[in-house]
Amino acid sequence: MAQFNEYKVIHIAEGGCGTLLLGSSGLPLKRVEATLNEEAAQGWQLVFQVIERKRYMLFWEREAVIVTLGRNR
């Protein structure tokens, strides 16, 4: 595994409105893609990612992705 000098954690969640209105709307893949491309342009590399599901309000579940990025300066 590569060693990096800097690390950064990003949390990207599905929208609350879609969860309330539709029951579930899934992860915003375009937003994930745009965020990762923007970070890669600044020299960040993907180290680890986790998809989490957690309760939203009382009845719904909401998905989020937690991404750990690393880079050497």
Side-chain angles (χ1 to χ4, degrees), residues 32-53:
V32 172
E33 180 182 344
T35 301
L36 291 177
N37 283 334
E38 181 180 307
E39 298 297 339
Q42 296 175 16
W44 292 98
Q45 295 179 29
L46 179 67
V47 176
F48 186 75
Q49 99 179 15
V50 171
I51 297 176
E52 71 171 359
R53 297 185 89 174

Side-chain angles (χ1 to χ4, degrees), residues 3-4 14 16 30-32 35 51-52 56 64 71-73:
Q3 296 289 332
F4 296 102
E14 76 178 87
K30 293 289 184 187
R31 185 169 150 212
V32 172
T35 301
I51 297 176
E52 71 171 359
Y56 183 69
R71 73 175 172 185
N72 289 317
R73 276 262 173 187

Side-chain angles (χ1 to χ4, degrees), residues 9-12 48-52 64-68:
V9 177
I10 300 174
H11 181 264
I12 304 170
F48 186 75
Q49 99 179 15
V50 171
I51 297 176
E52 71 171 359
V65 62
I66 300 171
V67 178
T68 302

